[in-house]
Coordinates of all heavy atoms in Angstrom, one line a residue:
F14 N -11.5 4.5 12.8 CA -11.6 5.9 13.0 C -12.5 6.3 14.2 O -13.7 5.8 14.2 CB -12.0 6.6 11.7 CG -11.6 8.0 11.6 CD1 -10.3 8.3 11.1 CD2 -12.4 9.1 12.1 CE1 -9.9 9.6 11.0 CE2 -11.9 10.4 12.0 CZ -10.7 10.7 11.4
L15 N -12.1 7.1 15.1 CA -12.9 7.6 16.2 C -12.9 9.2 16.0 O -12.1 9.7 15.3 CB -12.3 7.3 17.5 CG -12.2 5.8 17.9 CD1 -11.4 5.6 19.2 CD2 -13.6 5.3 18.1
S16 N -13.7 9.8 16.8 CA -13.7 11.3 16.7 C -12.3 11.9 17.2 O -11.9 12.9 16.8 CB -14.8 11.9 17.6 OG -14.7 11.5 18.9
S17 N -11.6 11.1 18.0 CA -10.3 11.5 18.5 C -9.1 11.1 17.6 O -8.0 11.3 17.9 CB -10.1 10.9 19.9 OG -10.1 9.5 19.9
T18 N -9.5 10.4 16.5 CA -8.4 9.9 15.5 C -8.0 11.1 14.6 O -8.8 11.9 14.1 CB -9.0 8.8 14.7 OG1 -9.3 7.7 15.6 CG2 -8.0 8.3 13.7
L19 N -6.7 11.1 14.4 CA -6.1 12.1 13.5 C -5.6 11.3 12.2 O -4.8 10.4 12.3 CB -4.9 12.8 14.1 CG -4.2 13.8 13.3 CD1 -5.1 15.0 12.8 CD2 -3.0 14.4 14.1
S20 N -6.2 11.7 11.1 CA -5.7 11.1 9.8 C -4.4 11.7 9.4 O -4.3 12.9 9.3 CB -6.8 11.3 8.7 OG -6.4 10.7 7.5
I21 N -3.4 10.9 9.1 CA -2.1 11.4 8.7 C -2.1 11.4 7.2 O -2.3 12.5 6.6 CB -1.0 10.5 9.3 CG1 -1.1 10.4 10.8 CG2 0.4 11.0 8.8 CD1 -1.0 11.7 11.5
K22 N -1.7 10.3 6.5 CA -1.7 10.2 5.1 C -1.5 8.8 4.7 O -1.0 8.0 5.5 CB -0.7 11.2 4.4 CG 0.7 10.9 4.7 CD 1.7 11.9 4.2 CE 2.1 11.5 2.8 NZ 3.2 12.4 2.3
N23 N -1.7 8.5 3.4 CA -1.3 7.2 2.9 C -1.9 6.0 3.7 O -1.2 5.0 4.0 CB 0.2 7.0 2.8 CG 0.8 8.0 1.9 OD1 0.2 8.6 1.0 ND2 2.1 8.3 2.1
G24 N -3.1 6.1 4.2 CA -3.8 5.1 5.0 C -3.3 4.9 6.4 O -3.5 3.9 7.0
I25 N -2.7 6.0 7.0 CA -2.2 6.0 8.3 C -2.9 7.0 9.2 O -3.2 8.1 8.8 CB -0.7 6.3 8.3 CG1 0.1 5.3 7.4 CG2 -0.1 6.3 9.8 CD1 1.5 5.7 7.1
A26 N -3.2 6.6 10.4 CA -3.9 7.4 11.4 C -3.3 7.3 12.8 O -2.5 6.3 13.0 CB -5.4 7.1 11.4
I27 N -3.6 8.2 13.7 CA -3.1 8.2 15.0 C -4.3 8.4 16.0 O -5.1 9.3 15.7 CB -2.0 9.3 15.3 CG1 -0.8 9.0 14.5 CG2 -1.7 9.3 16.8 CD1 0.3 10.0 14.6
T28 N -4.4 7.6 17.0 CA -5.4 7.8 18.0 C -4.7 7.7 19.4 O -3.9 6.9 19.6 CB -6.5 6.7 18.0 OG1 -7.1 6.7 16.7 CG2 -7.6 6.9 19.0
S29 N -5.1 8.7 20.3 CA -4.4 8.7 21.6 C -5.3 8.5 22.7 O -5.0 8.9 23.9 CB -3.6 10.0 21.7 OG -4.5 11.1 21.6
T30 N -6.5 8.0 22.5 CA -7.4 7.7 23.6 C -7.4 6.2 23.9 O -7.1 5.4 23.1 CB -8.8 8.2 23.3 OG1 -9.3 7.5 22.1 CG2 -8.9 9.7 23.0
L31 N -7.9 5.9 25.1 CA -7.9 4.5 25.5 C -8.9 3.7 24.8 O -8.8 2.4 24.7 CB -8.2 4.4 27.0 CG -7.1 4.9 28.0 CD1 -7.6 4.9 29.4 CD2 -5.9 4.0 27.8
D32 N -9.9 4.3 24.1 CA -10.9 3.6 23.3 C -10.3 2.6 22.3 O -10.7 1.5 22.2 CB -11.8 4.5 22.6 CG -12.5 5.5 23.5 OD1 -12.7 5.2 24.7 OD2 -12.8 6.6 23.1
I33 N -9.2 3.0 21.7 CA -8.6 2.2 20.7 C -8.0 0.9 21.3 O -8.0 -0.2 20.7 CB -7.6 2.9 19.8 CG1 -7.2 2.1 18.6 CG2 -6.4 3.4 20.6 CD1 -6.4 2.8 17.5
L34 N -7.4 1.0 22.5 CA -6.8 -0.2 23.1 C -7.9 -1.2 23.4 O -7.7 -2.4 23.3 CB -6.0 0.2 24.4 CG -4.8 1.1 24.1 CD1 -4.2 1.5 25.4 CD2 -3.8 0.5 23.2
G35 N -9.1 -0.7 23.9 CA -10.2 -1.6 24.2 C -10.7 -2.2 22.9 O -11.0 -3.4 22.9
A36 N -10.7 -1.5 21.8 CA -11.2 -2.0 20.5 C -10.2 -3.1 20.0 O -10.6 -4.1 19.5 CB -11.4 -0.9 19.5
I37 N -8.9 -2.8 20.2 CA -7.9 -3.8 19.7 C -8.1 -5.1 20.6 O -8.1 -6.2 20.0 CB -6.5 -3.2 19.8 CG1 -6.3 -2.1 18.7 CG2 -5.5 -4.3 19.7 CD1 -5.0 -1.3 18.9
A38 N -8.2 -4.9 21.9 CA -8.3 -6.1 22.8 C -9.6 -6.9 22.5 O -9.5 -8.1 22.6 CB -8.3 -5.6 24.2
A39 N -10.6 -6.2 22.0 CA -11.9 -6.9 21.7 C -11.9 -7.4 20.3 O -12.9 -8.0 19.9 CB -13.1 -6.0 22.0
G40 N -10.9 -7.2 19.5 CA -10.8 -7.7 18.1 C -11.6 -6.8 17.2 O -11.9 -7.2 16.1
R41 N -11.9 -5.5 17.6 CA -12.7 -4.6 16.7 C -11.8 -3.4 16.3 O -12.3 -2.4 15.8 CB -13.9 -4.1 17.5 CG -14.9 -5.1 17.9 CD -16.1 -4.5 18.6 NE -15.5 -3.5 19.4 CZ -15.6 -3.2 20.7 NH1 -16.2 -3.8 21.4 NH2 -15.0 -2.3 21.4
G42 N -10.5 -3.5 16.5 CA -9.6 -2.4 16.2 C -9.2 -2.4 14.8 O -9.8 -3.1 13.9
P43 N -8.2 -1.6 14.5 CA -7.7 -1.5 13.1 C -7.0 -2.7 12.7 O -6.6 -3.5 13.5 CB -6.7 -0.3 13.2 CG -6.3 -0.3 14.6 CD -7.5 -0.7 15.4
K44 N -6.9 -2.9 11.3 CA -6.2 -4.0 10.7 C -4.8 -4.1 11.2 O -4.2 -5.1 11.5 CB -6.3 -3.9 9.2 CG -5.5 -4.9 8.4 CD -5.5 -4.6 6.9 CE -4.8 -3.3 6.7 NZ -4.3 -2.9 5.4
S45 N -4.1 -2.9 11.3 CA -2.7 -2.8 11.6 C -2.6 -1.7 12.7 O -3.2 -0.7 12.6 CB -1.8 -2.5 10.4 OG -1.9 -3.4 9.4
A46 N -1.7 -2.0 13.7 CA -1.5 -1.0 14.7 C -0.1 -1.1 15.4 O 0.5 -2.2 15.4 CB -2.6 -1.1 15.8
M47 N 0.4 0.0 15.8 CA 1.7 0.0 16.6 C 1.5 1.0 17.7 O 1.2 2.1 17.5 CB 2.8 0.4 15.7 CG 4.1 0.5 16.4 SD 5.6 0.9 15.4 CE 5.1 2.3 14.5
V48 N 1.7 0.5 19.0 CA 1.6 1.3 20.1 C 2.9 2.0 20.4 O 4.0 1.4 20.3 CB 1.2 0.5 21.4 CG1 1.2 1.3 22.6 CG2 -0.1 -0.2 21.1
A49 N 2.9 3.3 20.6 CA 4.1 4.1 20.8 C 4.0 4.8 22.2 O 3.0 5.4 22.4 CB 4.3 5.1 19.7
L50 N 5.0 4.6 23.0 CA 5.1 5.3 24.3 C 6.3 6.1 24.3 O 7.4 5.7 23.8 CB 5.1 4.3 25.4 CG 3.9 3.3 25.5 CD1 4.1 2.2 26.5 CD2 2.6 4.1 25.8

């Protein structure tokens, strides 16, 4: 969760800032993720 993260429901969230991509690349991101373009 970041300040830019939107909590949806049932354990699901959405983040649209580049910070999350850096965290995923560094192994510090969420347990599960799907990039949508």
Side-chain angles (χ1 to χ4, degrees):
F14 205 88
L15 297 170
S16 61
S17 59
T18 299
L19 176 62
S20 180
I21 302 301
K22 66 184 269 188
N23 300 337
I25 301 167
I27 294 177
T28 302
S29 60
T30 60
L31 290 174
D32 301 334
I33 191 168
L34 297 178
I37 290 170
R41 297 180 325 236
K44 171 188 68 162
S45 301
M47 178 173 52
V48 177
L50 300 172

